Amino acid sequence: MKTYYIKENYTARLDNKDFDDTKLTDEWQKEVYEYAKKIAEENNFKTILDIGTGSGYKLIKYFDNYNTLGIDIPKTVLFLKEKYPTKSWSDQFVPATGYDLIISSDVIEHLPDPDLLLDLIIQCNPKLIVLSTPERNLLCKIDHNGPPFNKSHVREWTMVEFYNYISSRLDVLDHYISNHNQATQVIKAVLKGKNNALV
């Protein structure tokens, strides 16, 4: 089985449950969206693609005046279209080009094959990418070989593992812990070899 740069003796959860966060607002990943908003402002971005947008609350809160598209599973998109009918939502995980910034916050750990997410991001051809996921060592407080305690997570990466995985597909510009209490690690990246004068 493919390890996605996680240590060899790690056990992934292949029977994970879908996570419904339509009732949540900004209890989680708030600082990830604040960081993405800062990037958008500093680079004069106009268009934002949020892959795995969940409740849509953070996308609307921080990017209401931007041209946005939120992508999620069909059940969630039905909720989003009803709650925010003037915004753009899709349940199709297909390339959407023309977006300056892609956000995918705490999505990758839910996917049986995270390569599909990175493939989609690359095909969308954004100027910058912001990814986040829980840091396994902070989350578990012990050396943990899986499966994740959270039954909706397939796998969780340490800082080193996540850096190695993402940098195998994208050029990483920044990588840090944004919230120690929630064990959130964040990566800012660009497409491989893309000339980058952005901040």
Side-chain angles (χ1 to χ4, degrees), residues 31-92:
E31 72 287 344
V32 177
Y33 283 80
E34 291 172 340
Y35 178 59
K37 176 71 178 287
K38 181 174 181 284
I39 290 170
E41 289 174 342
E42 290 174 348
N43 291 284
N44 198 30
F45 288 164
K46 305 294 184 199
T47 55
I48 312 296
L49 174 59
D50 190 11
I51 301 175
T53 194
S55 71
Y57 178 89
K58 294 182 288 286
L59 183 62
I60 299 298
K61 178 177 179 179
Y62 294 102
F63 298 100
D64 192 35
N65 296 324
Y66 291 73
N67 177 357
T68 62
L69 174 62
I71 298 177
D72 215 296
I73 60 175
K75 180 179 173 184
T76 300
V77 169
L78 286 175
F79 162 85
L80 292 165
K81 286 181 175 179
E82 186 173 309
K83 187 166 179 81
Y84 305 107
T86 63
K87 304 303 279 185
S88 296
W89 311 104
S90 175
D91 62 8
Q92 301 299 306

Side-chain angles (χ1 to χ4, degrees), residues 3-10 134-137 143-145 155-168 175 185 187:
T3 66
Y4 305 97
Y5 288 80
I6 297 176
K7 61 183 179 177
E8 289 289 343
N9 61 339
Y10 184 81
E135 207 284 345
R136 188 174 73 243
N137 288 344
D143 185 19
H144 191 259
N145 293 326
R155 62 183 61 79
E156 293 158 349
W157 289 263
T158 66
M159 284 279 286
V160 171
E161 291 167 347
F162 196 55
Y163 176 87
N164 289 339
Y165 175 48
I166 298 303
S167 66
S168 75
H175 185 200
Q185 59 176 314
I187 279 181

Side-chain angles (χ1 to χ4, degrees), residues 118-184:
L118 298 185
D119 290 344
L120 177 60
I121 288 170
I122 291 165
Q123 291 163 10
C124 289
N125 194 32
K127 294 176 181 172
L128 278 172
I129 303 122
V130 172
L131 297 165
S132 72
T133 194
E135 207 284 345
R136 188 174 73 243
N137 288 344
L138 283 177
L139 196 65
C140 299
K141 310 282 192 282
I142 57 171
D143 185 19
H144 191 259
N145 293 326
F149 298 136
N150 185 326
K151 293 190 178 354
S152 71
H153 291 184
V154 175
R155 62 183 61 79
E156 293 158 349
W157 289 263
T158 66
M159 284 279 286
V160 171
E161 291 167 347
F162 196 55
Y163 176 87
N164 289 339
Y165 175 48
I166 298 303
S167 66
S168 75
R169 305 290 306 279
L170 302 168
D171 286 339
V172 174
L173 304 179
D174 197 10
H175 185 200
Y176 68 101
I177 298 294
S178 65
N179 186 323
H180 279 270
N181 291 334
Q182 295 180 357
T184 308

